[in-house]
Amino acid sequence: MKRDTVAAGTWIGIWGTVLIILLSYLEMTFGILNTPPWNIAADVFLTSANIKTLYGLIIGMAGTLALGIATTLFIAAILRLTGTDYAWLKGVIVANAIGFGTMGLFMPMLNISENIQSEPWTNILALLDLTIFGLFTGYMLKKSFQQRVEK
């Protein structure tokens, strides 16, 4: 796995997504997050009535995980193209760019979770969580790439 960018990116993306899910859960616990990312992901596939069901949770978590892995693989590709200097910063930039594209362009265009536009804290926390995700995944990818060179 240490030589395989896709495998390393997938594992790091899984752990980064777990981090986002934990952060979102804490934010919900403190009452500052209105709509968690897994509900937004479920809204892509399900009707509103099914989002907060067990099926919605499963599909939403799978969608959140898929987007986290895809974002991490994109960060890995950027690091492969540009090098691992400032990997944490590149991770933040890529994760937030994908977040802005998703939340600001595709979600409104496709009428996904339309309520999000009236939830400023949900948007602010999403960008904060994506920043933490980008820091984590960029750093971990750099470590993964460095381990390859040492072997």
Side-chain angles (χ1 to χ4, degrees), residues 24-120:
S24 298
Y25 180 77
L26 284 173
E27 293 157 359
M28 286 175 51
T29 301
F30 288 111
I32 52 177
L33 177 65
N34 294 332
T35 306
W38 52 87
N39 284 1
I40 296 168
D43 192 31
V44 171
F45 303 102
L46 301 172
T47 63
S48 298
N50 291 317
I51 291 172
K52 293 185 180 180
T53 66
L54 177 60
Y55 298 116
L57 179 65
I58 293 168
I59 291 169
M61 288 291 185
T64 302
L65 187 61
L67 186 57
I69 292 169
T71 301
T72 305
L73 292 174
F74 195 69
I75 294 168
I78 295 294
L79 293 177
R80 281 275 179 230
L81 289 171
T82 65
T84 58
D85 292 338
Y86 303 103
W88 58 272
L89 179 61
K90 293 172 187 176
V92 169
I93 290 168
V94 170
N96 277 294
I98 290 172
F100 273 104
T102 302
M103 293 185 305
L105 178 63
F106 293 112
M107 285 174 54
M109 199 167 69
L110 300 172
N111 298 322
I112 299 167
S113 293
E114 295 169 331
N115 59 307
I116 295 297
Q117 293 179 331
S118 62
E119 296 177 9

Side-chain angles (χ1 to χ4, degrees), residues 130-143:
L130 286 170
T131 298
I132 293 168
F133 174 88
L135 286 167
F136 173 80
T137 54
Y139 173 78
M140 293 304 292
L141 285 166
K142 179 178 181 173
K143 282 186 68 164

Side-chain angles (χ1 to χ4, degrees), residues 1-8 80 144 147-149 151:
M1 181 176 87
K2 290 182 179 167
R3 298 187 189 277
D4 188 334
T5 301
V6 173
R80 281 275 179 230
S144 173
Q147 288 175 349
R148 292 180 206 174
V149 174
K151 294 234 174 206

